[in-house]
Amino acid sequence: MNISFFGLGYVGCVGAACCAKLGHHVIGNDTSENKVNLINQGKPTIIEAEINDLIHDAHAKGLLEATTDYHYAVHNSEISFIVVGTPSSKEGHLNLNYIYDVAQQIGEALADKNKFHIVAIRSTVLPGTNAKVGKIIAKASGKVRDKDFTIVSNPEFLREGTAVHDYMNPPLTLIGTDNEIAEAKFRELYKDLPGEFISTDIEVAEIMKYVNNTYHGLKIVFANEIGNICKALGIDSHKVMEIFCKDKQLNISSYYFKPGFAYGGSCLPKDSKALRTLAHDLYINVPIINAIDSSNEQQKKNAIDIIESKGQRKVGILGLSFKSGTDDLRCSPIVDVAETLLGRGYEIHIYDKNVRMSQLTGTNAEFIAAKLPHLHEIISDDLDTVCTKSDILVITNKEKEFTAIPTKYPHKCIIDLVRQFNQIDYEGNYEGISWGNINTNPMQNDKLKRTMVKTEF
Ligand SMILES: NC(=O)c1ccc[n+]([C@@H]2O[C@H](COP(=O)([O-])OP(=O)(O)OC[C@H]3O[C@@H](n4cnc5c(N)ncnc54)[C@H](O)[C@@H]3O)[C@@H](O)[C@H]2O)c1
């Protein structure tokens, strides 16, 4: 394939060298004449392991050249990667000016190109950038997106220092596209790289790098805070974290990584509180560990806000225990939501097939007696009774019996806290606590578009 790279810095230089190594013909483009000259002398623009030989060999084989002429780069390639910098502005916003400049240049060059062209954004950009770049190119070229060109989001995950190795051994290859030609081209382009090839929604691909990097930061500061507590206790934190990482079922795994409702139960709240208090008593400041509880409380408030935003007063709560398959009500987060709504005068009806008033004993009974003393008056063991009496149905536990609700009650408002549905075609109002619109119903989509907040950056 013939490929151009706009930007010959860390990511562009490595990408260009690795693509040439994979057998493609690469044209590098940069506004810096110095960088262009280096590539044309067979030298890298950066210092990085393995890069010298790759650039030298690619140049010697005639697979790599560079130019400041963006017209030439676009006309002699079928895919153009945008790999320019995306620095932070003084106020902390993302500065996308370099991206928009390149979009303008590619657009100008495309004006007199008659072949379909794929632009791939490899720089780290916020969701919405792909669409904006598409508009700039369409305006500058007079061409039509998806007829004459398309824009793919293909974030880069390499780390400096091991960049070539990371490029050649990615954990996965991710593209965001809605264009079949582009998807097929990218499958072909990356066919020799190991790891799963994932083609997904454009905005999902755009946000992934931020999710990854923020999580990596979270891992580091979490391990550091655990280390600081361990040090104060005379415990070897490296032994602790080594063992922590050996649990591949709950710790280093996809478990608990599903956005949804707050956690509860008799262990998580109690034990994280005990560790927070221990750190406090040791005079160890642990902002991340301390923030876990307030983030969890915030999710309860979010659920209440969504319920209140619907403007209806009769609320059916489907699932009262802290998770499905148990009657344990201790620290169940939905109990707090129900308590708040009752206090605000809402009419609450509750269904939970596992909770039998007569069978509640011990700390479980004590907890609920303190929080919802009149539970026996508002709980029913009949799902249909609760659904019929309520205008809003809040699904808090994932249960098979709830899947029929949209068909049986097509005009109620459903608030989903557990992703009961992966996709829903629902005439009534559906809202998930922590995910974007999954309702494919055209009527609801139109309504949603009118109310969506658009962030400009
Ligand atoms: N450096 C990393 O480890 C890394 C890893 C993954 C992703 N990223 C992301 O990749 C992007 C690029 O990062 P980088 O470190 O390679 O940046 P960089 O600053 O090293 O390189 C950017 C290059 O773009 C060139 N450029 C600017 N405007 C141009 C234009 N109009 N036309 C052609 N070239 C132009 C600059 O001269 C420079 O050589 C950023 O979004 C960054 O966040 C970086």
Side-chain angles (χ1 to χ4, degrees):
M1 272 183 218
N2 292 314
I3 298 165
S4 52
F5 276 79
F6 282 77
L8 289 168
Y10 281 91
V11 174
C13 183
V14 171
C18 291
C19 272
K21 167 88 180 156
L22 291 170
H24 304 292
H25 176 258
V26 178
I27 303 170
N29 172 275
D30 205 292
T31 44
S32 156
E33 275 187 33
N34 182 33
K35 289 188 183 181
V36 166
N37 290 339
L38 282 169
I39 295 291
N40 286 333
Q41 291 159 20
K43 292 178 187 162
T45 61
I46 55 165
I47 293 178
E48 183 65 44
E50 302 179 59
I51 196 78
N52 288 20
D53 288 348
L54 282 189
I55 294 280
H56 175 268
D57 292 353
H59 180 255
K61 284 182 190 159
L63 287 175
L64 178 61
E65 59 177 308
T67 174
T68 52
D69 180 350
Y70 54 82
H71 197 270
Y72 173 85
V74 168
H75 278 254
N76 291 286
S77 60
E78 51 201 300
I79 302 177
S80 293
F81 280 99
I82 301 183
V83 277
V84 293
T86 48
S88 292
S89 72
K90 259 196 268 162
E91 298 78 25
H93 293 110
L94 193 63
N95 175 352
L96 292 174
N97 290 342
Y98 297 117
I99 298 272
Y100 298 149
D101 287 351
V102 174
Q104 177 67 26
Q105 291 164 357
I106 293 176
E108 286 169 18
L110 279 179
D112 58 351
K113 182 175 177 182
N114 293 323
K115 277 192 190 151
F116 190 75
H117 197 80
I118 300 171
V119 177
I121 304 178
R122 193 96 172 136
S123 297
T124 303
V125 294
L126 285 168
T129 307
N130 183 308
K132 190 147 184 188
V133 165
K135 282 182 191 153
I136 294 172
I137 293 180
K139 194 170 173 201
S141 63
K143 301 276 165 114
V144 178
R145 182 173 181 148
D146 285 326
K147 181 173 159 278
D148 305 308
F149 71 93
T150 193
I151 324 272
V152 170
S153 290
N154 176 215
E156 174 61 70
F157 299 120
L158 61 76
R159 296 158 300 168
E160 285 175 26
T162 52
V164 171
H165 178 268
D166 289 350
Y167 189 99
M168 291 299 195
N169 300 278
L172 52 88
T173 296
L174 178 65
I175 68 158
T177 182
D178 47 15
N179 184 288
E180 281 174 16
I181 302 171
E183 185 184 328
K185 273 274 176 218
F186 270 73
R187 278 190 193 279
E188 172 68 18
L189 177 70
Y190 289 128
K191 70 179 184 331
D192 293 327
L193 292 185
E196 189 182 348
F197 180 92
I198 301 171
S199 175
T200 186
D201 303 343
I202 289 168
E203 296 206 332
V204 170
E206 283 181 304
I207 204 168
M208 275 322 297
K209 179 75 193 216
Y210 293 96
V211 177
N212 287 0
N213 276 356
T214 305
Y215 179 57
H216 298 164
L218 179 66
K219 283 174 84 170
I220 292 167
V221 297
F222 175 75
N224 290 346
E225 288 189 5
I226 294 292
N228 296 342
I229 295 173
C230 287
K231 181 181 174 189
L233 294 169
I235 295 171
D236 184 345
S237 60
H238 278 242
K239 282 187 186 164
V240 170
M241 290 312 287
E242 232 175 85
I243 297 169
F244 173 88
C245 292
K246 283 186 198 288
D247 179 347
K248 303 280 193 302
Q249 289 180 21
L250 298 185
N251 293 352
I252 312 298
S253 74
S254 57
Y255 207 82
Y256 295 128
F257 268 135
K258 294 198 165 49
F261 196 34
Y263 65 75
S266 62
C267 293
L268 273 181
K270 170 174 76 70
D271 297 347
S272 58
K273 188 176 184 180
L275 190 67
R276 278 200 314 274
T277 311
L278 173 67
H280 178 262
D281 292 347
L282 292 166
Y283 298 99
I284 305 291
N285 192 12
V286 285
I288 280 298
I289 291 173
N290 284 340
I292 292 169
D293 183 55
S294 47
S295 174
N296 201 48
E297 288 303 311
Q298 181 60 48
Q299 197 69 334
K300 297 179 199 171
K301 289 194 188 104
N302 293 343
I304 294 167
D305 286 350
I306 294 172
I307 294 167
E308 295 211 298
S309 73
K310 304 299 174 192
Q312 287 168 305
R313 309 291 297 175
K314 296 177 187 170
V315 180
I317 291 178
L318 310 183
L320 190 65
S321 59
F322 85 97
K323 62 177 179 184
S324 55
T326 175
D327 69 345
D328 197 347
L329 301 174
R330 288 172 298 172
C331 294
S332 172
I334 197 66
V335 170
D336 288 340
V337 172
E339 186 189 18
T340 304
L341 291 175
L342 278 168
R344 293 181 189 173
Y346 281 77
E347 183 181 314
I348 303 290
H349 303 282
I350 295 173
Y351 168 81
D352 191 321
K353 68 173 180 187
N354 295 309
V355 176
R356 294 276 176 275
M357 288 306 294
S358 57
Q359 287 166 14
L360 292 179
T361 55
T363 48
N364 207 7
E366 281 165 27
F367 174 80
I368 208 66
K371 290 271 183 182
L372 298 176
H374 304 295
L375 177 61
H376 59 282
E377 291 167 15
I378 55 176
I379 195 164
S380 162
D381 57 6
D382 181 48
L383 176 59
D384 287 314
T385 306
V386 169
C387 290
T388 310
K389 284 182 178 169
S390 313
D391 295 322
I392 300 176
L393 301 173
V394 186
I395 302 178
T396 78
N397 285 340
K398 219 171 184 170
E399 297 284 1
K400 222 174 163 193
E401 60 185 331
F402 300 154
T403 49
I405 287 176
T407 326
K408 274 180 113 175
Y409 302 99
H411 301 296
K412 306 253 171 189
C413 171
I414 296 176
I415 298 175
D416 188 353
L417 305 187
V418 284
R419 193 67 182 247
Q420 176 77 33
F421 309 98
N422 257 334
Q423 206 171 54
I424 189 168
D425 180 356
Y426 189 52
E427 258 179 60
N429 182 310
Y430 169 92
E431 184 166 348
I433 186 165
S434 299
W435 42 93
N437 184 25
I438 57 161
N439 193 354
T440 54
N441 190 286
M443 219 169 71
Q444 287 298 333
N445 276 337
D446 280 354
K447 260 193 225 162
L448 197 86
K449 266 185 215 145
R450 286 199 294 273
T451 55
M452 252 171 65
V453 182
K454 277 269 170 227
T455 316
E456 283 292 336
F457 51 84

